[in-house]
Amino acid sequence: MRQNFDLHSHSNKSDGSFSPAELVEYAKKNSIKVLALTDHDTIDGIGEAVESGKKIGINVIAGVEVSVDFKPGSMHICGYNVDTDNSYLNDKLKSAQDSRKNRSGMIIDKLKSAGFYITPDEIKKVAGSGRISRSHFAQIMVEKGYVGTVEEAFDKYLAKGASCYVERVRLNIREAVKMIKEAGGKAVLAHPVQLKLESDEEYIRKFAELKEIGIEGIEAFSTYHSEEENQKFRQMAKELDLFVTGGSDFHGKIKPDVKLGVFGENVDVDIKELIKKLESGG
Ligand code: AMP
Ligand code: MN
Ligand code: MN
Ligand code: MN
């Protein structure tokens, strides 16, 4: 079922296919009233999205998504209501963006060894003004007929542990939380299933540890969760007194199966209350 809010979305400032203004217009068409733009490692799209939201009557929340060091899976943290002028935030994001640039050349080399030829110019063309992401490599591999789908590109070559994967320098969790808080924002753990922990007990322990570090909410409702997982993570978050959010991780055409506003069946999130929590000081 489609919700009237979505707290996880990407524009072409990272690896989404819509510009920030197009994304907000698309949200409007799909009856979304509250939209958070959470591009990877960049807040460049926020100004345009907020302005467009004001024009057409959508509450746009200034967000960002950062990947932090984690094993066995991946840990992504979303920051909400960040002050986009904050210099600490901007400096940290700049380092994350630099690490992406460095990695890009290394991925090109690895793909070449595997027989796939992608040039820096091709990457630049697809990424446009956005931050270079593995999704852009995947997209070009599909366009060139090297693989059938973006999923296949990740599974065989680009995913963690696959043959052309290249690590990049990431923030640690404490640095990420500090960065978000310095900018006045709220830190939320995105799509917990991607942590790939083995048991419910491990999830509960990890959530409690994250709360100690300063995480205030859990994206319990996510495209990547089964309905059972949605409800399980919701329950865990409630018990730990963490707030519950939901988001689709919309990327437009890059992830055509992900629909804006769709991230569960029984999404019992009171969006007005949640907005207050995301805005509250301290
Ligand atoms: P990067 O930030 O460059 O490391 O790329 C990570 C992005 O690639 C994620 O935000 C997703 O959008 C995308 N991604 C990662 N794993 C997969 C996958 N298995 N299938 C499709 N997209 C993926
Ligand atoms: Mn992405
Ligand atoms: Mn993510
Ligand atoms: Mn995302």
Side-chain angles (χ1 to χ4, degrees):
M1 203 179 80
R2 198 187 288 275
Q3 308 301 314
N4 65 358
F5 71 95
D6 194 325
L7 297 187
H8 194 150
S9 70
H10 295 270
S11 77
N12 63 4
K13 298 294 178 185
S14 65
D15 57 348
S17 60
F18 291 141
S19 71
E22 285 165 354
L23 174 67
V24 173
E25 278 154 27
Y26 184 80
K28 175 88 180 175
K29 270 192 217 127
N30 285 283
S31 310
I32 302 285
K33 299 203 160 40
V34 182
L35 177 77
L37 176 61
T38 52
D39 274 318
H40 300 285
D41 300 330
T42 181
I43 46 178
D44 284 1
I46 301 294
E48 181 182 320
V50 168
E51 196 183 319
S52 166
K54 278 188 186 142
K55 256 189 228 149
I56 62 178
I58 288 198
N59 180 356
V60 174
I61 296 176
V64 65
E65 179 177 21
V66 289
S67 328
V68 300
D69 260 341
F70 188 73
K71 277 191 182 113
S74 48
M75 186 186 285
H76 293 180
I77 307 295
C78 284
Y80 294 103
N81 285 318
V82 289
D83 170 10
T84 53
D85 292 328
N86 182 271
S87 57
Y88 187 81
L89 173 69
N90 279 282
D91 286 352
K92 287 284 174 193
L93 291 180
K94 170 82 174 49
S95 330
Q97 289 157 17
D98 288 345
S99 86
R100 287 180 173 277
K101 275 186 211 144
N102 295 338
R103 182 186 60 168
S104 179
M106 290 153 81
I107 298 179
I108 287 178
D109 292 344
K110 279 206 169 182
L111 286 171
K112 196 162 145 195
S113 314
F116 305 121
Y117 299 93
I118 294 179
T119 65
D121 278 352
E122 286 172 319
I123 284 289
K124 257 188 224 147
K125 207 167 147 210
V126 173
S129 65
R131 305 290 165 252
I132 297 169
S133 150
R134 281 179 287 155
S135 302
H136 297 122
F137 282 93
Q139 210 180 326
I140 295 175
M141 290 177 81
V142 173
E143 276 166 20
K144 290 193 155 182
Y146 292 151
V147 289
T149 62
V150 163
E151 272 309 320
E152 188 186 341
F154 271 94
D155 289 349
K156 290 191 178 158
Y157 307 106
L158 299 169
K160 210 174 195 173
S163 59
C164 300
Y165 179 74
V166 179
E167 258 309 336
R168 77 184 160 90
V169 183
R170 294 171 201 272
L171 296 177
N172 68 42
I173 175 68
R174 286 178 195 277
E175 290 168 329
V177 170
K178 177 164 190 259
M179 173 186 89
I180 292 164
K181 292 198 163 207
E182 287 275 330
K186 299 278 179 194
V188 170
L189 173 70
H191 41 58
V193 76
Q194 290 186 2
L195 298 178
K196 297 205 171 119
L197 299 181
E198 289 199 339
S199 64
D200 290 356
E201 290 69 33
E202 279 187 47
Y203 271 101
I204 292 169
R205 227 177 299 138
K206 183 54 71 181
F207 290 174
E209 191 188 309
L210 291 174
K211 185 178 172 181
E212 287 290 309
I213 292 170
I215 293 283
E216 293 177 69
I218 303 285
E219 188 182 70
F221 296 103
S222 166
T223 302
Y224 307 120
H225 298 162
S226 64
E227 187 57 20
E228 199 184 329
E229 285 167 334
N230 274 344
Q231 300 307 330
K232 182 178 78 181
F233 291 133
R234 172 195 164 276
Q235 190 58 29
M236 289 178 181
K238 294 243 158 177
E239 276 166 23
L240 288 162
D241 198 23
L242 289 157
F243 55 75
V244 171
T245 76
S248 67
D249 202 16
F250 183 74
H251 281 69
K253 288 174 205 138
I254 291 183
K255 294 192 178 186
D257 298 341
V258 177
K259 309 282 181 228
L260 195 68
V262 179
F263 40 82
E265 288 306 316
N266 293 305
V267 179
D268 66 338
V269 171
D270 181 336
I271 186 62
K272 286 198 180 123
E273 281 301 311
L274 181 54
I275 287 172
K276 275 191 218 153
K277 286 180 188 161
L278 291 172
E279 281 173 352
S280 70

